[in-house]
Amino acid sequence: MRTILKKLLKILLIFLLSTVLLYCALTGAAFYHWCDTIDIQLFSDMSRLPDSDKVQRIGDTVEPYLNVLEEELEKSPYLNDGQEHSITDGHIHTLGEFYDPLSFAIWAPLQIALHDIFTKYILISILISAAIAIAYTVITSKKINVILKVVIGYVAIILLVPQILMFSITHNLYFATNISAVYVNSGLTYFYIGYTILFVLMYVINYIIGKKMTKELNETIQEINK
């Protein structure tokens, strides 16, 4: 019982560590790329004059939000009624009544972009970490032969992870139709390569450790029999 509990704790630890490390790595890379490409510098380094193209792009992004907020603000029956209001007073209010429409219009796209960055890789991190934990469980099991280890720990994972990711996006399962849309995807190339390398490494390391333990055990038995 203690051995089983110890192995379960190892599997859980591998899953949690893999999830945290993968999420931090993927999200950090996405955030760095976003910071590197976002147009937040309005002035050129040489002339210190506003960059008209950047100002225009920011204006094109902000304008739709600003127009909606101003239209809703004009329709508000509570705007000039002489009473104090709050967002939680039970009336239907617009954000433009309590926040500067222009400031909120600038903040809204930024908030959406950050939300997308910090939530995009949650499911992917969990799935890949679960795959790693399953691979570890299967590879280190002495009751499963080599063929089943490859089928369960590698082939099954390679087939299932893309399906789950596609289902999370489209809410449809593609087992017999449109297979290329699921598996022939440039975004999954890194997963295929990375998981293959990781599976082979875990298998080789486990094989070396097992072989070493068997050798030490045989040497111990031989010394006892002398």
Side-chain angles (χ1 to χ4, degrees):
M1 184 66 182
R2 183 178 295 179
T3 304
I4 296 174
L5 182 60
K6 187 177 180 180
K7 187 165 185 177
L8 287 175
L9 289 175
K10 281 185 179 180
I11 295 170
L12 180 60
L13 182 61
I14 289 172
F15 171 75
L16 293 176
L17 285 176
S18 300
T19 302
V20 172
L21 290 175
L22 281 170
Y23 175 78
C24 291
L26 294 173
T27 302
F31 183 71
Y32 176 81
H33 177 72
W34 177 75
C35 291
D36 192 45
T37 56
I38 186 173
D39 289 329
I40 58 176
Q41 184 178 350
L42 298 181
F43 298 93
S44 61
D45 294 332
M46 297 296 292
S47 64
R48 304 300 300 169
L49 295 175
D51 187 325
S52 59
D53 291 336
K54 289 184 178 181
V55 172
Q56 182 63 45
R57 284 196 294 270
I58 294 174
D60 293 340
T61 303
V62 168
E63 188 176 9
Y65 290 95
L66 182 59
N67 290 340
V68 171
L69 288 171
E70 289 180 341
E71 289 176 3
E72 293 297 324
L73 184 61
E74 292 175 358
K75 297 177 183 178
S76 173
Y78 309 106
L79 184 59
N80 298 310
D81 61 356
Q83 301 180 16
E84 292 186 2
H85 292 277
S86 66
I87 295 179
T88 58
D89 62 4
H91 298 149
I92 300 176
H93 293 286
T94 63
L95 292 171
E97 296 178 42
F98 302 98
Y99 303 101
D100 175 52
L102 179 58
S103 299
F104 186 81
I106 295 173
W107 166 247
L110 183 65
Q111 184 186 33
I112 293 172
L114 291 174
H115 178 269
D116 290 341
I117 290 172
F118 286 98
T119 58
K120 182 178 181 180
Y121 294 106
I122 293 177
L123 178 60
I124 295 175
S125 300
I126 292 173
L127 283 177
I128 296 178
S129 299
I132 293 172
I134 292 171
Y136 170 80
T137 304
V138 171
I139 289 173
T140 56
S141 176
K142 298 179 180 179
K143 298 180 180 179
I144 303 176
N145 59 45
V146 176
I147 296 176
L148 281 179
K149 285 181 179 181
V150 174
V151 171
I152 298 173
Y154 181 74
V155 177
I157 296 299
I158 290 295
L159 292 176
L160 286 177
V161 169
Q163 289 285 350
I164 296 173
L165 287 174
M166 181 62 72
F167 179 78
S168 69
I169 297 172
T170 64
H171 301 291
N172 289 312
L173 291 175
Y174 299 89
F175 287 107
T177 61
N178 204 12
I179 294 178
S180 62
V182 180
Y183 297 105
V184 185
N185 190 321
S186 59
L188 291 171
T189 303
Y190 294 107
F191 165 69
Y192 294 144
I193 297 173
Y195 186 73
T196 300
I197 295 173
L198 187 62
F199 182 84
V200 172
L201 282 176
M202 284 194 292
Y203 186 86
V204 170
I205 292 172
N206 182 71
Y207 176 79
I208 294 173
I209 293 174
K211 190 174 181 179
K212 184 178 180 181
M213 291 177 62
T214 302
K215 183 179 179 181
E216 291 176 353
L217 180 61
N218 290 334
E219 290 175 351
T220 303
I221 294 174
Q222 289 176 2
E223 290 179 0
I224 293 174
N225 292 333
K226 288 181 180 179

